[in-house]
Amino acid sequence: MVNIIWVSLFIIGLLFAAVNGTMDKVNEALFQGAKEAVTICFGLISVLTFWLGLMKIAEKSGLLRGLSRLLQPVARFLFPEVPKDHPALGYILSNMSANMFGLGNAATPMGIKAMEELKRLNGGKNEASRSMITLLAINTASITLIPTTVISIRIQYGSVSPTEIVGTTILATACSTAGAVLVDRYFHYRRMKKRM
């Protein structure tokens, strides 16, 4: 569905530009956007490499394990169907930890592995389980303590104070995470009431 929306927007934009005679502006914007995308990617590579290196150090030193232990009661509350020693819980905790440090790219593989384990736990069904829905909601709206990607983009564009958004980001992502959990629980209990 998203592919259809993007293609439709692209085609509508091209048709609009052709009718108004502004195709030269479209070409200019296309090449300028491609150039900026490559520049931003190179800037992000350095920041992500730095933070992924720190995450590796934190993993080797046991800091991530400690953070996972700290988050375990929260994970047990959010995912009551997942057995305590199940591999899915480890992947979920790793995903949450990486998201907290603003490393969405590093969190994605762990989120995918968690989903695979949750699907196995769900008997291999193609229908999403309660835990799968909760993981998706939390992963999407995850609380972020250090928005590394945004800081990197702000540095790339010459921000005077690229880290000034940290407090706002923590507040905004805390609200989005709380909202995601509340909506997830609301629809879960509503569905359970319908079954009774």
Side-chain angles (χ1 to χ4, degrees):
M1 183 67 178
V2 173
N3 291 340
I4 294 169
I5 292 170
W6 282 112
V7 169
S8 300
L9 288 172
F10 184 72
I11 290 170
I12 290 167
L14 285 177
L15 291 174
F16 188 78
V19 169
N20 288 324
T22 56
M23 285 300 282
D24 57 326
K25 299 281 186 198
V26 171
N27 284 334
E28 187 181 319
L30 187 71
F31 288 111
Q32 184 62 31
K35 181 182 173 187
E36 282 187 26
V38 170
T39 304
I40 289 171
C41 283
F42 279 120
L44 288 176
I45 288 170
S46 60
V47 171
L48 284 174
T49 302
F50 171 74
W51 281 105
L52 287 172
L54 280 181
M55 285 286 283
K56 202 61 167 167
I57 291 168
E59 182 185 348
K60 295 283 186 192
S61 69
L63 185 64
L64 274 185
R65 211 172 12 262
L67 183 61
S68 291
R69 266 195 301 262
L70 190 67
L71 290 174
Q72 193 154 15
V74 175
R76 298 289 307 134
F77 169 74
L78 293 171
F79 303 96
E81 305 84 22
V82 179
K84 189 176 181 181
D85 295 326
H86 197 275
L89 203 55
Y91 288 122
I92 289 168
L93 290 168
S94 297
N95 175 273
M96 288 170 72
S97 300
N99 274 326
M100 286 176 81
F101 290 110
L103 300 170
N105 294 338
T108 300
M110 293 176 247
I112 291 169
K113 290 296 283 180
M115 282 293 188
E116 288 172 358
E117 292 296 330
L118 290 173
K119 185 174 181 176
R120 261 190 222 111
L121 199 60
N122 194 29
K125 297 177 194 164
N126 286 329
E127 184 180 319
S129 67
R130 174 186 177 189
S131 295
M132 292 168 89
I133 294 168
T134 302
L135 177 61
L136 183 62
I138 289 172
N139 187 51
T140 304
S142 179
I143 189 164
T144 304
L145 302 177
I146 306 167
T148 53
T149 305
V150 178
I151 290 171
S152 169
I153 291 170
R154 288 173 60 92
I155 290 169
Q156 196 76 20
Y157 282 98
S159 173
V160 176
S161 181
T163 58
E164 72 183 354
I165 57 155
V166 171
T168 311
T169 301
I170 292 171
L171 180 64
T173 56
C175 291
S176 68
T177 303
V181 171
L182 289 173
V183 168
D184 174 59
R185 289 300 184 247
Y186 169 76
F187 281 107
H188 171 70
Y189 290 119
R190 197 171 127 183
R191 193 171 64 228
M192 293 304 287
K193 270 190 174 180
K194 282 184 181 178
R195 288 183 182 174
M196 291 181 175

